[in-house]
Amino acid sequence: MGEQEKTDYKRLDTWDEDDRAISQMGYFSWRPKFLEVMNKPYTFVLTFGLTSFFSIMAFGILSLIIPTLEVVFNLNSKETGLILMANDLSGVIAAIVMANYCSGRKVRWIVLGTWIVVIAVLIPSSTTLMAEYPKPSPVSGNESSRASQRLPSMCSITNETDAVPRQATVNRMSGNGTGEGLWAVRNHRFYWLHVLGALLQGIGSTPPGIAGSTYMDEIFPQKAFGVAISVLYAVAFVGFPLSMIAGSFYLTFYVTLNPPEGLSPDSKEWIGAWWLGMVIPAGIVFALSWVLALFPRQMPAAKASLFF
């Protein structure tokens, strides 16, 4: 047995061509030597941690922008609940699949998951380009007349019972029964794009969580793994509270980034740029995913830690 262990040690220590091909950073056959400076376990933890941080920021803002989505897309509480539930449901299904198929090429699974997360952000965010928005009421001295035309608060919409037709809600929003108040009803056709985005987010966030942890278990020695995984989760979960802070800032911008004249964030007719808090982190995640894709299937430091 001792002789066999010695033989295995020599084989791993000689580094044949196949070992070099899967242990160097790069894309496909392009594996330049200058990238080997980054080919360290802790470099992976830093890159993966930042990717997880911004991924959580992209969807952590969802609970903050729900009131805005309810107004813009004329959603009721059941529909917003389905959006939130779709994320968890698809994540459970994806976890079952990943348990059987993530044994090899873990870095590819991680990158694939981050790309799905980016797509999951772009799908609902794209609705802001297609949605209609109300024209602000003109400024007048009659405040009561202005108030009748303003958008309602979240409570005035969400307190609608299922027995009240959606048309009545729109009439309340516009202050009349004219066609001008139908903008929210027309926007409702984009509701399923938000559900699809939530489904894809649950699917996309699962591979990085599962494959990332197992990959770290392979590249770190046993004593260092606990520290590395703790740092990863600490960095990642800070993203949720920060997404609330960033989201509050993004909502101070008008949804089209070009507010109508005379409209300010203090106005009741103001609709914040809910999509900014999703698109900006998603762009950073996409950029970091290309850095993650550089990492090899196995690291030289990992082999050394197992046999030295």
Side-chain angles (χ1 to χ4, degrees), residues 268-300:
K268 291 185 177 180
E269 294 145 325
W270 185 267
I271 300 177
W274 56 270
W275 53 274
L276 272 180
M278 303 174 69
V279 171
I280 292 177
I284 299 174
V285 168
F286 183 71
L288 289 172
S289 68
W290 290 97
V291 181
L292 281 174
L294 290 169
F295 285 95
R297 291 171 57 183
Q298 61 187 30
M299 290 187 181

Side-chain angles (χ1 to χ4, degrees), residues 240-271:
F240 184 77
L242 289 184
S243 68
M244 299 292 103
I245 299 174
S248 300
F249 171 73
Y250 293 136
L251 290 176
T252 61
F253 296 93
Y254 193 65
V255 64
T256 61
L257 301 182
N258 186 24
E261 185 178 357
L263 203 63
S264 70
D266 296 329
S267 305
K268 291 185 177 180
E269 294 145 325
W270 185 267
I271 300 177

Side-chain angles (χ1 to χ4, degrees), residues 3 27 37 40 56 62 82 85-86 92 101 117 124 139 144 149 166 175 195 236 247 265 270 272 283 286 289 292:
E3 183 179 354
Y27 302 122
V37 178
K40 301 291 188 295
I56 292 175
L62 184 59
L82 180 59
M85 183 186 69
V92 171
Y101 292 100
V117 167
V139 179
S144 61
Q149 298 180 8
R166 181 169 277 119
V195 176
W270 185 267
F286 183 71
S289 68
L292 281 174

Side-chain angles (χ1 to χ4, degrees), residues 51-115:
T51 305
S52 302
F53 170 81
F54 287 106
S55 296
I56 292 175
M57 282 197 69
F59 281 92
I61 196 177
L62 184 59
S63 59
L64 181 67
I65 64 174
I66 281 294
T68 302
L69 297 181
E70 287 180 332
V71 172
V72 174
F73 298 98
N74 199 27
L75 307 179
N76 56 41
S77 57
K78 290 183 179 179
E79 291 168 332
T80 54
L82 180 59
I83 293 175
L84 298 174
M85 183 186 69
N87 177 21
D88 297 331
L89 180 62
S90 62
V92 171
I93 298 175
I96 297 174
V97 176
M98 283 296 300
N100 296 316
Y101 292 100
C102 78
S103 58
R105 300 187 180 276
K106 298 178 179 62
V107 173
R108 290 189 181 181
W109 279 108
I110 295 171
V111 174
L112 176 62
T114 57
W115 287 348

